[in-house]
Amino acid sequence: MTATDDRQRIQDLMLAYAAAVDDNDMTAYRNCFADDVEIVGFGESTVHGADKWVASVKDQLEAFSGTQPLLSPPLATVTGDRASARTDVQALHFLKTPAGGTFTLWATYLTDFVQTQDTWTIARHELVVRGTQQLP
């Protein structure tokens, strides 16, 4: 497999991650992560473990009637069975509150990946918030 193939698979993984959130498909979302994933910056504390993280995201999504994260192509560096990438994101969230409204997040994902056989998974995922906006 070439570096270009690996970068394409990493991009596909990040797109699958976003699509799973949009579709509220927690099985597909869970498949994006290594079992012992470390999640940083999505709250006050670091989350360790894919199952714990996916349960948290499932609960968080209850506040929204829909979401749409738009991702840049990952700027990936691949070294053997490890990789890291920077992916910029703009995520629109439609609030379920009686007044409705939207919450938009502008951020960067800093993600480390591990490859097992031909499958890449997320080993560490960090959110760096650039800005937010909530509209009624």
Side-chain angles (χ1 to χ4, degrees):
M1 188 169 309
T2 69
T4 300
D5 292 335
D6 287 329
R7 283 194 293 277
Q8 183 63 55
R9 287 178 184 216
I10 288 167
Q11 180 171 315
D12 289 350
L13 174 58
M14 293 304 295
L15 293 173
Y17 164 101
V21 171
D22 278 352
D23 297 340
N24 203 4
D25 183 343
M26 294 297 105
T27 300
Y29 189 68
R30 171 60 179 88
N31 290 336
C32 296
F33 299 98
D35 292 343
D36 60 349
V37 68
E38 178 182 49
I39 305 293
V40 179
F42 286 81
E44 293 183 18
S45 60
T46 299
V47 177
H48 296 277
D51 293 334
K52 185 176 179 181
W53 172 242
V54 171
S56 174
V57 169
K58 182 177 180 179
D59 289 343
Q60 292 173 44
L61 288 175
E62 289 299 317
F64 310 112
S65 60
T67 62
Q68 184 183 46
L70 303 173
L71 304 181
S72 72
L75 179 58
T77 302
V78 178
T79 307
D81 64 353
R82 301 279 178 181
S84 61
R86 171 198 167 117
T87 308
D88 293 316
V89 59
Q90 178 180 324
L92 181 61
H93 303 76
F94 298 94
L95 301 171
K96 276 187 182 175
T97 62
T102 59
F103 174 78
T104 304
L105 167 72
W106 293 271
T108 300
Y109 292 143
L110 301 175
T111 311
D112 295 331
F113 304 88
V114 62
Q115 182 178 227
T116 306
Q117 296 172 352
D118 286 336
T119 303
W120 286 98
T121 56
I122 298 170
R124 183 178 187 280
H125 193 47
E126 181 176 352
L127 176 71
V128 179
V129 176
R130 305 296 181 186
T132 63
Q133 181 180 52
Q134 186 166 336
L135 297 174

